[in-house]
Amino acid sequence: MSESMRAVIWQGPSSMAMAEVPLPELRPEDVLVKVDAASICGSDLAGFTGKMGNRFPGQIMGHEISGTVVGVASAAHDNLLGATVCVNPLETCGHCRACTSGRPQQCDDVHLVGVHRHGGFAEFVAVRASNLLPSPVGVPQSLSCLVEPLAHAFHDVRVATSDGQPEDLLLIGAGSIGIFALLAAQASGLPSLTVIEPDPGRRSLAAALGATAVADAEELDGRSFDAVIEGVGLESTRRTAVERVRRGGTVALVGLAQP
């Protein structure tokens, strides 16, 4: 195997370039994954334009990744060689209060592949062996890389329904996370799913994928909901989420927050 690889490098706001860089170094707990597919997250777009403070020149973005294990740092992980995998990009300490209580996403020392260490917009990426999941059987790698945002959406639905099974759920935004949340809510058996989305194309997609109703915010006529998932991150959409939830209901704010 060559000692170098091609990668897309962030050079500064709205500037990226392909470059030849050294292969990532493996820590004892790491494996080397040949990237088969890496999707572009909304946070990658915000980072590309320089709107996030956690980007630095020379960074390799990309945290929604699927690939094939081609190298290991320890013989203990030899069984992973050749495996097709999805990557959980969230690397946590494993011993803080959040980690030991089943809430690793709230870890005090969290590191994200594609942000704090180089990510999947490259031919290879180094990842903790414990952060790998087998790619779903029969699913192409071009779709397996979407396991991470899909898992995000299922968690969002779980948070929004933590106080019980709501009769009606409002989804604000039909972008990637909003659509995934719609599918997750359907799979969870929620009976009434209303989507707010101003873009006609996204509205049509939400309707085609089974939304009970699709509307603009002003078309709801004061209606309130048992639970709301806000997947946009604007001040206005977050205000709408709070205004539209019933007293005692649940609001899950999951959109990338507006600076």
Side-chain angles (χ1 to χ4, degrees), residues 114-191:
V115 176
H116 304 100
R117 65 183 305 196
H118 289 322
F121 294 167
E123 292 184 281
F124 301 92
V125 62
V127 184
R128 272 187 194 169
S130 59
N131 279 54
L132 300 181
L133 296 168
S135 291
V137 176
V139 176
Q141 291 292 74
S142 57
L143 293 180
S144 293
C145 63
L146 298 175
V147 163
E148 190 271 346
L150 182 61
H152 186 315
F154 268 94
H155 177 73
D156 300 337
V157 171
R158 187 161 52 243
V159 169
T161 60
S162 59
D163 288 334
Q165 190 87 340
E167 292 185 8
D168 46 18
L169 171 69
L170 175 64
L171 298 152
I172 301 178
S176 299
I177 290 298
I179 289 296
F180 279 140
L182 171 63
L183 298 175
Q186 287 178 318
S188 301
L190 302 190

Side-chain angles (χ1 to χ4, degrees), residues 5 24 56 58-62 112-120 125-126:
M5 66 178 184
F56 54 87
Q59 183 181 54
I60 303 172
M61 298 185 197
L112 189 67
V113 175
V115 176
H116 304 100
R117 65 183 305 196
H118 289 322
V125 62

Side-chain angles (χ1 to χ4, degrees), residues 38-251:
S39 59
I40 300 172
C41 178
S43 63
D44 293 320
L45 295 176
F48 169 69
T49 57
K51 294 180 180 178
M52 299 184 72
N54 56 8
R55 307 298 176 177
F56 54 87
Q59 183 181 54
I60 303 172
M61 298 185 197
H63 58 271
E64 299 174 357
I65 308 163
S66 61
T68 305
V69 178
V70 294
V72 298
S74 167
H77 300 136
D78 281 348
N79 62 307
L80 294 174
L81 286 169
T84 54
V85 296
C86 307
V87 173
N88 173 5
L90 206 65
E91 296 188 343
T92 58
C93 72
H95 52 74
C96 69
R97 181 176 181 180
C99 288
T100 57
S101 61
R103 295 175 287 109
Q105 73 277 9
Q106 298 174 13
C107 176
D108 293 329
D109 189 28
V110 66
H111 293 84
L112 189 67
V113 175
V115 176
H116 304 100
R117 65 183 305 196
H118 289 322
F121 294 167
E123 292 184 281
F124 301 92
V125 62
V127 184
R128 272 187 194 169
S130 59
N131 279 54
L132 300 181
L133 296 168
S135 291
V137 176
V139 176
Q141 291 292 74
S142 57
L143 293 180
S144 293
C145 63
L146 298 175
V147 163
E148 190 271 346
L150 182 61
H152 186 315
F154 268 94
H155 177 73
D156 300 337
V157 171
R158 187 161 52 243
V159 169
T161 60
S162 59
D163 288 334
Q165 190 87 340
E167 292 185 8
D168 46 18
L169 171 69
L170 175 64
L171 298 152
I172 301 178
S176 299
I177 290 298
I179 289 296
F180 279 140
L182 171 63
L183 298 175
Q186 287 178 318
S188 301
L190 302 190
S192 178
L193 306 170
T194 299
V195 175
I196 291 178
E197 172 56 57
D199 181 82
R202 290 182 173 186
R203 289 175 63 166
S204 295
L205 178 60
L209 291 175
T212 309
V214 184
D216 281 324
E218 59 269 19
E219 296 173 348
L220 294 179
D221 297 325
R223 182 182 172 189
S224 57
F225 298 81
D226 292 335
V228 181
I229 295 177
E230 189 280 334
V232 182
L234 299 178
E235 180 182 349
S236 59
T237 53
R238 292 191 166 204
R239 185 183 305 114
T240 297
V242 174
E243 292 171 348
R244 293 296 180 181
V245 73
R246 291 193 180 103
R247 182 173 297 181
T250 303
V251 174

